[in-house]
Amino acid sequence: MNAASNMIKVAVIGGEGIGPEVTAQSRRILDWFAARRGIPLILREAQYGLIPYLATGKVLPADTAEAMEEADAILWGATGGPETKEVPAAARKEGGLLSLRSKYDLYANLRPIRANPALAESAPLKARVLKGVDFVIIRELTGGIYFGEPRGIETLPDGQRRGFNTEQYTTSQVRRVARSAFELARIRRGKVCSVDKANVLETSVLWREEVIALHAEEFSDVELTHLYVDNAAMQIVREPSQFDVMVTGNIFGDILSDCAAMASGSLGMLPSASLGPVDRFGRRKALYEPVHGSAPDIAGKGIANPLGSILSVAMMLRMTLDRPEEADLLETAVDMALAAGARTADIAEPGRPRLSTREMGDAVLNALEKVAGKERENA
């Protein structure tokens, strides 16, 4: 919110590939909460990718940058696709997600992993393995090997080419994301698992030492354990219910969260929130997006799963809009739609009807009406 108004500004940026399709359904959800629940929202749509590049020479044009700058929250779709070949690498890098994460210092990426019982038959893992799965991966998002320098590709004297990247972390980078994990664990089940590769990497030695020190200084009431990243990957598919909050570095979090998608049925089910530091007014920049990519092979077909994007709106309701009861309402509606058999292609069992992207949006909106109606009856 700004000083002149209590209206909450949300920038809605569909992006590329299936991004605009799934984000259109999230926009419908936001419109419902504004109209039916009285949430004071101002939604501003803006473009990203090939279309604005052809018109302006920038994948992230001035209008979109302005919308994001003014927004209290950003709802993001997806980036990438075959059309990116028409956009020079330099232009893509300048306006890409990595640069946005750096610009707004979105250092903490939260990815909830929850196994929905309604999807037990379509999930790749056995139902008994998925029982009780409900944990959050917190990925450090503005450091590590994705941002480290030096990096590049060079030609050696003998004619071979060599690619190189730099993995690095500082005390403050580790401690602030670890603090986010400990604080979240305090309002969940009180357990943090820190993931690293301290048996091989010096950056992971630093990571583990700083996490342990912060725990001893401020969070001794929270249970802290450690896993090497290879073991963590195995444990996620062997016994995912053991985890509450998992915190790890940029590249490990990128890989592990996709692995953990198998515990939720599909990558299309996963929401995320990328959070910046809290300012002196108590606000923090936040970008909400489904974990999946742009899926260019199905773009435009209207079959993509919008639930990752819709559940990202639930995270927005809880974290930026400070409406936890509305977030619960939306998550209950998603559960109700799935329990009633609503399925897009990626989560449908063989022989079951498959909804289009918009039909899944309809199913969630219908469930919202039913849940809200029951709420009024019980008031």
Side-chain angles (χ1 to χ4, degrees), residues 15 48 55 85 90 102 137 140 185 245 268 315 317 330 341 369 376:
Y48 174 93
K85 295 177 182 178
S102 180
I137 296 176
E140 198 290 320
V245 177
M315 297 186 77
L317 288 165
L330 179 53
E369 290 288 355
R376 288 191 294 271

Side-chain angles (χ1 to χ4, degrees), residues 257-312:
S257 56
D258 277 19
C259 173
M262 297 302 95
S264 65
S266 166
L267 195 62
M269 293 293 300
L270 293 191
S272 77
S274 299
L275 308 176
V278 178
D279 66 18
R280 61 193 180 94
F281 301 109
R283 301 170 304 191
R284 65 193 310 177
K285 205 72 172 181
L287 185 148
Y288 299 91
E289 61 176 325
V291 171
H292 63 70
S294 63
D297 55 320
I298 61 170
K301 296 181 180 180
I303 61 173
N305 186 348
L307 292 182
S309 186
I310 288 171
L311 288 169
S312 295

Side-chain angles (χ1 to χ4, degrees), residues 8 10 30 39 41 73 316-323:
I8 301 164
V10 179
L30 284 168
I39 297 181
L41 293 173
M316 183 191 299
L317 288 165
R318 184 171 284 116
M319 296 180 177
T320 295
L321 280 63
D322 195 24
R323 302 287 184 111

Side-chain angles (χ1 to χ4, degrees), residues 132-133 135 189 191 227 235-236 238-244:
V133 172
F135 68 101
R189 301 195 303 276
K191 300 193 299 181
L227 285 177
Q235 295 299 328
I236 284 173
R238 188 186 76 85
E239 190 186 350
S241 61
Q242 68 184 282
F243 298 114
D244 180 21

Side-chain angles (χ1 to χ4, degrees), residues 114-125 130 261-270 292 298 303-311 333-357 359-361 363-364:
R114 176 173 166 263
N116 193 303
L119 299 179
E121 293 302 316
S122 62
L125 301 181
L130 298 179
M262 297 302 95
S264 65
S266 166
L267 195 62
M269 293 293 300
L270 293 191
H292 63 70
I298 61 170
I303 61 173
N305 186 348
L307 292 182
S309 186
I310 288 171
L311 288 169
V334 170
D335 287 348
M336 181 182 291
L338 291 172
R343 300 287 189 275
T344 45
D346 60 313
I347 54 173
E349 298 91 342
R352 291 285 295 272
R354 302 181 176 195
L355 301 184
S356 69
T357 306
E359 287 170 339
M360 181 60 89
V364 175

Side-chain angles (χ1 to χ4, degrees), residues 15-16 46-62 64:
E16 302 169 289
Q47 291 186 323
Y48 174 93
L50 175 64
I51 293 175
Y53 176 78
L54 294 176
T56 69
K58 292 181 179 294
V59 294
L60 187 72
T64 303

Side-chain angles (χ1 to χ4, degrees), residues 88-270:
R92 175 69 61 183
K93 182 177 180 181
E94 181 184 1
L97 266 180
L98 288 181
S99 66
L100 291 175
R101 291 167 181 168
S102 180
K103 176 181 179 180
Y104 294 118
D105 199 13
L106 303 174
Y107 68 90
N109 179 244
L110 279 64
R111 299 187 172 189
I113 310 297
R114 176 173 166 263
N116 193 303
L119 299 179
E121 293 302 316
S122 62
L125 301 181
K126 293 179 180 179
R128 62 176 175 79
V129 174
L130 298 179
K131 187 177 181 179
V133 172
D134 181 1
F135 68 101
V136 178
I137 296 176
I138 300 186
R139 167 189 171 191
E140 198 290 320
L141 203 59
T142 57
I145 201 166
Y146 292 169
F147 290 89
E149 297 287 347
R151 62 189 297 159
I153 300 174
E154 65 181 6
T155 300
L156 300 175
D158 65 358
Q160 293 189 81
R161 300 173 74 218
R162 181 174 75 106
F164 55 97
N165 293 86
T166 303
E167 166 78 354
Q168 58 185 21
Y169 272 112
T170 64
T171 295
S172 60
Q173 287 176 316
V174 175
R175 286 196 167 213
R176 67 178 183 173
V177 74
R179 178 172 283 105
S180 295
F182 287 128
E183 290 174 345
L184 180 59
R186 273 181 171 165
I187 60 174
R188 286 177 53 89
R189 301 195 303 276
K191 300 193 299 181
V192 169
C193 177
S194 177
V195 176
D196 57 45
K197 193 62 176 170
N199 58 334
V200 176
L201 302 175
E202 283 77 9
T203 46
S204 282
V205 172
L206 173 75
W207 179 283
R208 184 172 293 207
E209 290 176 350
E210 293 298 336
V211 171
I212 289 172
L214 179 64
H215 176 255
E217 293 165 12
E218 301 181 30
F219 298 99
S220 58
D221 57 308
V222 176
E223 178 185 329
L224 173 63
T225 58
H226 304 271
L227 285 177
Y228 296 140
V229 63
D230 42 354
N231 189 15
M234 180 180 72
Q235 295 299 328
I236 284 173
V237 296
R238 188 186 76 85
E239 190 186 350
S241 61
Q242 68 184 282
F243 298 114
D244 180 21
V245 177
M246 178 181 286
V247 63
T248 190
N250 207 339
I251 191 169
F252 295 159
D254 192 358
I255 296 166
L256 290 177
S257 56
D258 277 19
C259 173
M262 297 302 95
S264 65
S266 166
L267 195 62
M269 293 293 300
L270 293 191

